Amino acid sequence: MVSRRQIKHAIKILEEACDEDFAEVKQELAQSLKVAQELIAESDKKTNALVHDQGKSQSVFGFTEEFVKNLTIKHSTAVEQFITNWCQRQSDWRYPWCWLIANHHDYVHLSVKSHLVYVCSNHNTLDDIKTHTKNKVGRTEHADPQMFRMKPLQFTGYIEDHHVPHNQIGTLVSLDLLPYFSLEQIKNLITSCSCVLRPGGQALIHFADGDGEQEWQQFVNKKIAYCNEQSIKNFADVCELHAEFYHIEDMYSFVLLTKPGTKTSIKSHMTKITPL
């Protein structure tokens, strides 16, 4: 499926082609370019309208905390593999994690089993996380995760330091939350990522940018809030976070935010385990 990003790239190529001296095709290229530009211009008008509506994501469109909590989420195999593979690569136990769980906790076991983790959620309990983790990774009746703390999820986008310690988190993950945030909430969350991450720390955040047809229709029909890649990059730049983007499929784009610096720990090596 052709995305809006690809269409804009094609327009750029057409513009460059029109600058060349291909007299026999130049007129046809110019006409095609004009049609494409008109289509994009009309599409951008809708985009701009959606951007202006962002501040109303809760009051007008009903994207409240309760709405997001009750979403039924099903990820494709490609999305599941991307999230799982990325989390498994963040395997150094010395650096604590933070999960922002607005609805489902399908992946939290990837870190709760072996890391110090702050789970920010307003509808999952300690027992919910323990049961899920034991079902996923438990091998014996003694496989009981202990090194995690339940904290409230601020739907404003802020992460307070009395809930999650600032400058300490090595890895932060947010799934199925940003697509229902206003621009102000997104700005707050990215600012909070800059605060909670330690130097060299990374945040993996899922967002939807309207690049695919299904995504675009969701935005136009106001079933999901609008946030494009450029907005996220602008917020990240202000916070001096490096933003790297991954587009997996419709509805599932990810931004990887990295805080400048080298990730260090007072623990220089793995804990030695000896028999009692």
Side-chain angles (χ1 to χ4, degrees):
M1 181 180 294
V2 178
S3 70
R4 288 163 49 77
R5 187 183 300 105
Q6 290 170 317
I7 293 173
K8 289 182 178 181
H9 181 62
I11 289 175
K12 183 178 179 181
I13 293 174
L14 285 170
E15 287 175 331
E16 291 173 353
C18 284
D19 291 336
E20 300 291 338
D21 191 19
F22 299 130
E24 63 275 7
V25 297
K26 193 169 183 178
Q27 184 176 357
E28 184 178 348
L29 280 173
Q31 183 61 32
S32 297
L33 178 60
K34 181 180 178 182
V35 172
Q37 286 174 326
E38 289 174 352
L39 289 172
I40 284 293
E42 185 63 29
S43 178
D44 282 343
K45 288 180 183 178
K46 295 179 181 178
T47 300
N48 291 331
L50 290 167
V51 171
H52 292 314
D53 285 338
Q54 272 297 91
K56 305 174 183 177
S57 65
Q58 294 185 62
S59 60
V60 175
F61 305 137
F63 298 151
T64 62
E65 182 180 348
E66 189 69 17
F67 172 85
V68 177
K69 180 186 79 173
N70 292 318
L71 290 172
T72 300
I73 306 296
K74 182 172 176 57
H75 294 156
S76 70
T77 300
V79 171
E80 286 181 358
Q81 289 179 344
F82 176 82
I83 296 169
T84 301
N85 291 342
W86 187 85
C87 288
Q88 288 176 339
R89 289 197 297 269
Q90 316 299 311
S91 59
D92 194 327
W93 67 275
R94 293 173 297 179
Y95 308 113
W97 286 52
C98 177
W99 286 84
L100 307 182
I101 301 180
N103 33 65
H104 60 94
H105 53 254
D106 295 354
Y107 304 91
V108 72
H109 64 279
L110 295 170
S111 61
V112 165
K113 62 182 180 180
S114 56
H115 291 73
L116 171 61
V117 179
Y118 295 89
V119 180
C120 298
S121 176
N122 297 332
H123 64 278
N124 288 278
T125 66
L126 197 79
D127 287 340
D128 290 337
I129 302 300
K130 282 189 175 186
T131 299
H132 169 77
T133 303
K134 286 191 285 187
N135 287 341
K136 286 288 187 177
V137 302
R139 296 294 180 265
T140 73
E141 61 182 8
H142 302 295
D144 188 15
Q146 299 289 339
M147 293 178 58
F148 70 96
R149 305 289 181 267
M150 300 299 300
K151 300 294 180 179
L153 175 67
Q154 304 276 35
F155 210 65
T156 57
Y158 286 116
I159 305 174
E160 305 292 347
D161 60 353
H162 57 275
H163 293 147
V164 179
H166 285 191
N167 294 305
Q168 296 297 316
I169 302 302
T171 302
L172 181 145
V173 182
S174 170
L175 307 174
D176 298 295
L177 176 60
L178 217 68
Y180 304 95
F181 265 8
S182 68
L183 286 179
E184 181 180 0
Q185 289 168 294
I186 293 171
K187 179 181 178 181
N188 294 344
L189 179 56
I190 293 176
T191 301
S192 291
C193 287
S194 177
C195 292
V196 303
L197 290 175
R198 63 174 58 212
Q202 294 184 314
L204 182 71
I205 300 176
H206 151 240
F207 69 100
D209 60 0
D211 233 19
E213 182 60 29
Q214 177 191 355
E215 225 170 26
W216 181 246
Q217 288 304 318
Q218 292 284 80
F219 291 138
V220 171
N221 295 332
K222 294 183 170 52
K223 293 182 179 179
I224 200 169
Y226 182 80
C227 178
N228 59 19
E229 185 177 306
Q230 189 60 50
S231 298
I232 292 175
K233 188 179 186 308
N234 291 344
F235 294 146
D237 287 345
V238 170
C239 298
E240 298 184 345
L241 295 172
H242 174 70
E244 187 175 355
F245 296 92
Y246 299 87
H247 300 280
I248 308 304
E249 59 183 30
D250 254 13
M251 308 300 297
Y252 281 93
S253 294
F254 294 85
V255 58
L256 177 61
L257 301 174
T258 305
K259 190 169 183 176
T262 302
K263 195 186 291 186
T264 59
S265 171
I266 59 173
K267 304 181 182 74
S268 60
H269 52 77
M270 300 293 282
T271 300
K272 184 179 180 181
I273 301 175
T274 57
L276 294 174

